[in-house]
Every structure is written in C-alpha cells, then in structure tokens.
Amino acid sequence: MNPLIDLRSDTVTKPSPAMLEAMFQAQVGDDVYGEDPTVNELQAYGASLFGMEAGLFCPSGTMTNQIAIKMHTQPLSEVVCDRTSHIYVYEVGGIAFNSAASVQLIDGVRGKVTPEQVEACINPDNIHFPVTSLVSLENTCNKGGGSYYTVSEIAAISEVCSRNNIALHLDGARVFNALVASGDDAREYGRYFNTISICLSKGLGAPVGSLLLGPKRLIEQAKRVRKVLGGGWRQAGFLAAAGLYALQNNVQRLQVDHDRARQIGNVLQETGYVTEVMPVDTNIVIFTLAPQVNMDGFLTYLEERGILASSFGPQKIRMVTHLDLSEEMITSIMKAISEFKA
Ligand SMILES: *Cc1c(COP(=O)(O)O)cnc(C)c1O
C-alpha cells in the first residue's frame, strides 16, 4: 500500500530520524524546578530569534495564546481580534473561560486587520464599556488561507496600540511561513509585539510544543499560569530537543512547502469544478467546489487515492503542505485533482 498523503494539516508530521536522534541525545532535568538544560536552551534560543528577553515552553499553541491573553487582560477588559482568529474560533471559548474577558471582532480581509480597524475598536474611557487592553494578530492567518502580514503592516498596528496603551500579542503558530514568504527579519518582531506565541509542531515538524516569548518578568508570571493550567512538565527536554532541532533545521525549507502549495493551487484553478481558489501565499490552499459537486463525494474520491484533506466550511476544502510530503506525493495529488470528474 502507498503511504497516506495527509494534507489535513501541517501538524500531522512525524519526527525525522535526525530529529529523533537529537531527542535521544537530550540532556534533561526537572523543568518545574527550572533545571532542564534543553528546555532552558530552547527558551533562550527562541527568545533570541525574535529579539525577546525570555521564553516559556508549553505543550500547545492554545496554551501559549491563552496564557498571553491572561497576562494582558483583567475581567471587564476586552480583546480585539479578527473574526476568524484561532484564539476566538478554535480555542474552545478560552478567552471567556480562562480570562473572563470580552472580545471585539473585526471583519478583516483574509484574517488581516488594518490599523484603522483596530483604532475604531478601541473603547472610550466610559463606565459602560469593557477596557480595551489587548490586540491579537495571527500570522500567517489560518482561515485567511495562509495570508500574512509584513513587518511594516505590523509596525503600523503596533503604533496604534502603543499610542493607546494597549498590548499587542502575536499568534505566530505559522510565523516562520510568514517570515520566509515576506523575507522579514524575525528580530524586528520583538520591537512591535509584547508577546509572541510560536508553534514548533506545525510546519517545523516537531511532535509537540509551542513557545511563548516576551519580557522576563511577564514570562516568570506566565510560568505560574502554565502551572495552574496543569502545564508544569518534568523532563520536557526530550521534546525541547525536537523543538531546537526544528528551529535550527526546518525553517528555510518552508519555501518548498510554499512552492508546492502554489503548484496545487494552480492545478485547482484549471479544473472546471472549482469556483474559487484563495490566493496561495504560503503553505495553505483553500478552495471552493462548484455547487453541483458533492463535497463528501470529492473527499471520498481523494481518500480512495490515499489523499486526506479537510472540509473547511460549506463547499470549502483546505489542503496544507508540510515536510512529510515527497515530490511523488505532490505529483499524485495534482493527478487526482485533474482527473476528478464532477
Ligand atoms: C495550530 C494553531 C494554534 C495552536 O494550536 P494547538 O493545536 O493548540 O497547538 C494557534 N493558532 C493558529 C493560527 C493555529 O493554526
């Protein structure tokens, strides 16, 4: 049997032999005591990449985002984000559950908001309104089909936030895709964001883990919040070793994923049964099937050829490229797409 071609997400990757070897070799200790050298190295390395003081290694991007929101809000305050943001749509309503904060949603374009939209959301100092205390951006934007902000767009939003004394957080689950596509320098991000969450287990290929980056004092407090959420982990260095390996070896190759996603997007454009392909800016392809195509039927057709994709709303399908795909797999995907009869 041919190996499964799994395009549901870039989270499905498995550690490569070289990554596993790095995990085997890891020096570890009890991280709740702050004594795991590999965790400490990963946290310092991640922070230095983004020009931040400190980092906190956590099990998931949901946890790093939720801790950041907790750090920047109080009950009776408000978070501003795009309507399609992961923090709002896919984190189980955690903003209300963990932080008892309110949310103001912006209708951005493919997940991206403008400085003017952010400014218009800031509540006046009036007893009727929650206090606007945090703006959160996502880069790249998952529901925007992998669209990305450039550093100059971020700088303009950051200016609005600092002028109004509002914190700015980045959900950078796929920030390295944005950096590779834009050519921007990661260290510049540290100037504009108060906190940054990055995922090691998306396109970078680590099995588990995310980092929250920020100022030293904030990260010390964040460590308490991680503990109360049950996220104090012991010899986590085995996982941190995978994360370090990912950061040091798997960033530049993201360009390959972007090129392959674009190839898939181009083939979809040429079929008669797809009405829209979102512009393919990074490693995510989102497209809409014509009304006469049965979506489940299409997904089953792909599955019979060993290809898995995700349904992403009515008639919408998402495919995500990643480092566990081979050139032959990409060829099979393109062949299956062109041979489908609606
Ligand atoms: C995957 C993802 C996260 C974090 O998800 P976890 O599964 O909790 O690690 C956060 N934001 C975005 C945009 C994501 O795609």
Side-chain angles (χ1 to χ4, degrees):
M1 210 187 110
N2 291 324
L4 214 55
I5 304 174
D6 197 341
L7 300 169
R8 288 172 303 167
S9 177
D10 44 9
T11 55
V12 300
T13 59
K14 300 192 178 127
S16 64
M19 183 181 280
L20 281 172
E21 186 54 31
M23 295 169 77
F24 267 121
Q25 299 296 333
Q27 302 294 310
V28 298
D30 191 329
D31 180 55
V32 174
Y33 291 105
E35 290 173 2
D36 189 302
T38 312
V39 169
N40 292 340
E41 185 186 345
L42 171 67
Q43 291 174 162
Y45 183 73
S48 73
L49 285 181
F50 286 86
M52 288 289 199
E53 280 175 12
L56 185 67
F57 186 41
C58 292
S60 72
T62 299
M63 192 185 279
T64 46
N65 281 332
Q66 291 297 317
I67 293 174
I69 293 163
K70 185 75 185 162
M71 301 306 304
H72 296 303
T73 60
Q74 298 285 332
L76 310 185
S77 64
E78 189 159 81
V79 180
V80 173
C81 63
D82 179 78
R83 180 176 300 282
T84 63
S85 302
H86 195 280
I87 61 162
Y88 178 69
V89 178
Y90 292 121
E91 297 187 8
V92 213
I95 298 175
F97 187 78
N98 295 309
S99 299
S102 168
V103 183
Q104 179 86 245
L105 298 173
I106 297 177
D107 286 304
V109 176
R110 296 180 60 213
K112 290 176 61 186
V113 303
T114 65
E116 295 74 25
Q117 286 176 311
V118 169
E119 187 122 36
C121 281
I122 300 171
N123 290 330
D125 182 8
N126 174 314
I127 196 172
H128 292 88
F129 304 122
V131 177
T132 310
S133 63
L134 175 65
V135 173
S136 182
L137 305 181
E138 190 171 304
N139 205 19
T140 66
C141 307
N142 174 22
K143 289 205 123 195
S147 55
Y148 61 87
Y149 291 92
T150 61
V151 110
S152 56
E153 292 171 315
I154 291 166
I157 294 170
S158 168
E159 189 278 320
V160 174
C161 293
S162 3
R163 185 154 39 76
N164 290 279
N165 202 18
I166 296 168
L168 183 60
H169 171 71
L170 173 66
D171 175 358
R174 295 192 180 83
V175 67
F176 292 100
N177 297 89
L179 290 166
V180 165
S182 65
D184 287 333
D185 179 357
R187 275 168 306 181
E188 279 211 62
Y189 274 53
R191 290 168 46 192
Y192 300 118
F193 291 103
N194 297 86
T195 46
I196 297 176
S197 160
I198 66 170
C199 285
L200 305 165
S201 64
K202 294 270 163 87
L204 299 191
V208 177
S210 291
L211 283 170
L212 179 63
L213 309 174
K216 195 158 172 290
R217 283 196 44 203
L218 182 145
I219 293 297
E220 276 164 16
Q221 185 62 14
K223 192 166 180 182
R224 286 182 176 244
V225 180
R226 186 187 68 175
K227 189 82 176 87
V228 79
L229 294 174
W233 42 5
R234 304 293 179 180
Q235 286 72 29
F238 293 113
L239 295 169
L244 266 173
Y245 182 90
L247 286 175
Q248 289 166 353
N249 295 278
N250 292 343
V251 173
Q252 286 318 314
R253 64 150 307 287
L254 290 171
Q255 186 60 50
V256 174
D257 298 344
H258 298 179
D259 295 341
R260 287 171 167 175
R262 193 155 295 138
Q263 277 181 281
I264 294 171
N266 290 343
V267 175
L268 285 163
Q269 292 278 9
E270 287 158 18
T271 67
Y273 62 87
V274 169
T275 53
E276 195 208 340
V277 184
M278 270 194 189
V280 181
D281 294 336
T282 52
N283 71 328
I284 299 177
V285 187
I286 296 178
F287 58 96
T288 310
L289 295 169
Q292 73 273 17
V293 181
N294 179 289
M295 189 168 76
D296 291 337
F298 179 70
L299 288 171
T300 306
Y301 163 87
L302 290 178
E303 235 177 288
E304 281 161 359
R305 279 152 191 78
I307 300 166
L308 301 183
S310 305
S311 61
F312 217 60
Q315 296 298 89
K316 283 201 196 315
I317 295 199
R318 186 184 79 164
M319 293 178 168
V320 186
T321 56
H322 54 72
L323 75 176
D324 279 4
L325 299 173
S326 64
E327 208 51 49
E328 299 80 74
M329 290 176 180
I330 300 296
T331 308
S332 308
I333 294 158
M334 297 199 293
K335 191 160 178 288
I337 291 170
S338 7
E339 287 173 1
F340 178 71
K341 296 275 170 290

